[in-house]
Amino acid sequence: MIRPGLFLLFTAFAALAQTPRPGVNYDEAKVGNDPLPDLKATTAEEWTKSRRGEILALFEQHVYGKTPANVGAPKFEVTATKPDALGGLATRKFVHVSLPERPAWQGMEVMIYIPNGVKAPPCFVGLSFGGNHAVSVEKDVPLSTRWMRPNKEKHIVDNKATEATRGTESSRWPLEMILKAGFAVATAYYGDIEPDHADGWKSGLRAAVSKDGANTVWSEWGAIGAWAWGLSRIADYLQTDAQIDGKHLAVIGHSRLGKTSLWAGAQDERFGVVISNNSGEGGAALMRRDFGETTAIITKAFPHWFTPKYASYAGNAAACPIDMHMLIALAAPRPIYIASAAEDHWADPKGEFLSGFHAGPVYALFGKKGVVVEEQPAIDTPVGNFIGYHNRTGKHDVTDYDWTQYLTFARRHWGR
Ligand code: GTR
């Protein structure tokens, strides 16, 4: 039963995400011109030995919080294997990941598709908003029983998935296309790691691994950090699976999960390709540009995503010692791809391009070219060498167009 009041609220909320909100700037002449913090690196060696670590620490302190190191070894159990998934195209596996020393965490269910007939393929690793059963159209994928954000359109009822939610994210995960291109896919529901609401930490990973009581959780790290941790645990498992090329992992995410993908890629260098799809504020979009969503808006709406310090830069981005070109630079010299959508003004497509552009000097230290161009390219015109970028026609979403670019990018860099 959906209450009409709630329905109206959700509809209004969904509409707000795309239409200009009053008081939100969409005028390029008013974005401000605070200078970006200097990357301060003059050689590749200096970058690798000192500057990279300093900048990573700044992101921990000011944006995402610090990922705890000593939470005990993760345990991996392959719970099911189906050799003829998707009509024989792939082998599908489910892997339960848990932390035996932190039993309060319920663990996560990883779903992996490996193209049949391809020996140890590279693998895309990403979290989903709706769970494995929403990513896949296969009816035998177990329905997630975890808490889900209200979403009438996607048939979430009383914060739970229903049968009707099956396949509702499949357009964002074109499995056949990816598998036919010779890549594997490993994915899990982000809510398995921590439910995405202000109190989610209590029943998620963060409380389970908290050192000295739940009260310190918020000051230690945010939900984005927890989700990024989950991506690294998937990478841990993939290193152990001989059916996957664990040396060729691409981390990918959309929107808040694009922010997560960038943070995972920054911390975990096993992700050889990093992909941000429409990650916007708190992700690829430069925070010093006042365009679309701002630090003030995001930290008010989603305080649990970040370390509390980040909210102190609301209306005062210039005081923050980092900006997002530095997050992109943390991927260097690995290939990174930033994608925008032309109608996704909320995420500030130009600000997403500019963070890639301004990360270029770090790639140059390694003798690598970044976005190559000087200006944001025309719509539907992918650019870039080690920093890929495109601004796709349409809305905030992940489409086949986006995936086509990612597959081409990964193939180009990995010679596949
Ligand atoms: C919006 C939020 C964005 C983006 C998006 C999403 O409400 O303002 O920063 O993360 O959600 O994740 O879908």
Side-chain angles (χ1 to χ4, degrees):
M1 255 296 280
I2 310 286
R3 276 170 285 160
L6 272 185
F7 173 58
L8 276 179
L9 196 74
F10 299 145
T11 316
F13 201 71
L16 275 175
Q18 286 301 332
T19 45
R21 301 183 194 186
V24 175
N25 180 50
Y26 289 106
D27 180 352
E28 195 54 40
K30 295 184 185 151
V31 296
N33 51 11
D34 288 320
L36 293 178
D38 199 332
L39 288 158
K40 285 201 228 136
T42 46
T43 64
E45 197 192 0
E46 182 193 352
W47 175 262
T48 307
K49 284 203 173 143
S50 59
R51 193 62 183 137
R52 183 178 190 283
E54 287 166 18
I55 292 178
L56 198 62
L58 290 175
F59 275 94
E60 291 172 349
Q61 287 157 28
H62 300 275
V63 186
Y64 304 115
K66 189 167 166 57
T67 309
N70 303 316
V71 299
K75 182 176 170 192
F76 307 114
E77 292 159 271
V78 179
T79 54
T81 303
K82 181 181 175 185
D84 57 348
L86 294 171
L89 182 60
T91 295
R92 190 189 70 200
K93 290 185 187 182
F94 288 103
V95 181
H96 179 72
V97 181
S98 59
L99 284 177
E101 291 172 36
R102 313 285 174 150
W105 182 50
Q106 294 176 65
M108 86 181 144
E109 310 308 323
V110 182
M111 178 172 72
I112 306 172
Y113 280 96
I114 307 166
N116 285 334
V118 183
K119 199 165 174 275
C123 187
F124 284 91
V125 183
L127 301 174
S128 76
F129 286 93
N132 297 332
H133 67 273
V135 168
S136 177
V137 293
E138 293 193 294
K139 299 269 185 271
D140 58 344
V141 174
L143 203 65
S144 174
T145 55
R146 303 292 180 92
W147 185 94
M148 299 214 169
R149 292 168 68 229
N151 191 328
K152 166 139 201 315
E153 213 181 297
K154 296 221 166 137
H155 314 286
I156 306 297
V157 178
D158 296 334
N159 299 108
K160 294 281 180 203
T162 60
E163 279 295 323
T165 60
R166 289 192 175 281
T168 45
E169 279 206 60
S170 58
S171 69
R172 288 178 171 181
W173 295 89
L175 294 174
E176 287 203 10
M177 175 179 170
I178 304 166
L179 293 160
K180 283 182 178 158
F183 291 85
V185 177
T187 182
Y189 173 48
Y190 80 139
D192 280 6
I193 307 161
E194 172 170 325
D196 186 6
H197 59 88
D199 285 333
W201 61 273
K202 293 180 184 168
S203 58
L205 177 80
R206 283 192 290 159
V209 304
S210 162
K211 279 194 303 291
D212 36 10
N215 287 340
T216 59
V217 166
W218 273 68
S219 55
E220 285 167 356
W221 58 329
I224 288 176
W227 298 326
W229 176 94
L231 287 166
S232 285
R233 299 297 73 75
I234 299 177
D236 291 346
Y237 168 75
L238 294 171
Q239 311 286 305
T240 71
D241 189 328
Q243 284 186 282
I244 302 275
D245 178 357
K247 298 259 173 298
H248 289 91
L249 304 180
V251 66
I252 183 165
H254 169 60
S255 205
R256 69 199 64 186
L257 295 176
K259 310 178 209 299
T260 303
S261 165
L262 287 171
W263 184 227
Q267 296 176 93
D268 190 338
E269 294 179 278
R270 294 173 303 173
F271 293 119
V273 166
V274 181
I275 301 167
S276 151
N277 193 91
N278 307 177
S279 62
E281 193 70 27
L286 290 177
M287 67 187 285
R288 276 166 180 73
R289 276 173 56 87
D290 177 5
F291 191 99
E293 190 171 29
T294 59
T295 312
I297 298 172
I298 201 169
T299 54
K300 195 158 182 247
F302 306 105
H304 61 288
W305 289 356
F306 304 97
T307 193
K309 179 92 180 146
Y310 187 52
S312 72
Y313 303 112
N316 191 20
C320 188
I322 60 87
D323 209 317
M324 295 308 186
H325 62 311
M326 298 159 98
L327 181 62
I328 305 305
L330 287 174
R334 295 164 291 156
I336 185 165
Y337 201 108
I338 303 167
S340 302
E343 288 174 46
D344 188 14
H345 307 295
W346 186 241
D348 186 12
K350 187 167 180 188
E352 293 179 318
F353 167 76
L354 287 173
S355 68
F357 176 78
H358 289 292
V362 175
Y363 281 79
L365 297 178
F366 292 90
K368 299 196 184 314
K369 289 194 165 63
V371 293
V372 182
V373 294
E374 300 286 318
E375 301 277 339
Q376 186 185 19
I379 291 172
D380 297 333
T381 311
V383 296
N385 192 340
F386 274 75
I387 306 175
Y389 177 82
H390 71 247
N391 189 16
R392 165 183 54 73
T393 296
K395 291 191 177 21
H396 189 67
D397 200 359
V398 194
T399 68
D400 284 4
Y401 179 90
D402 297 313
W403 273 102
T404 301
Q405 312 319 316
Y406 305 150
L407 293 169
T408 307
F409 188 72
R411 278 174 149 167
R412 171 148 57 84
H413 285 286
W414 286 339
R416 303 255 176 173

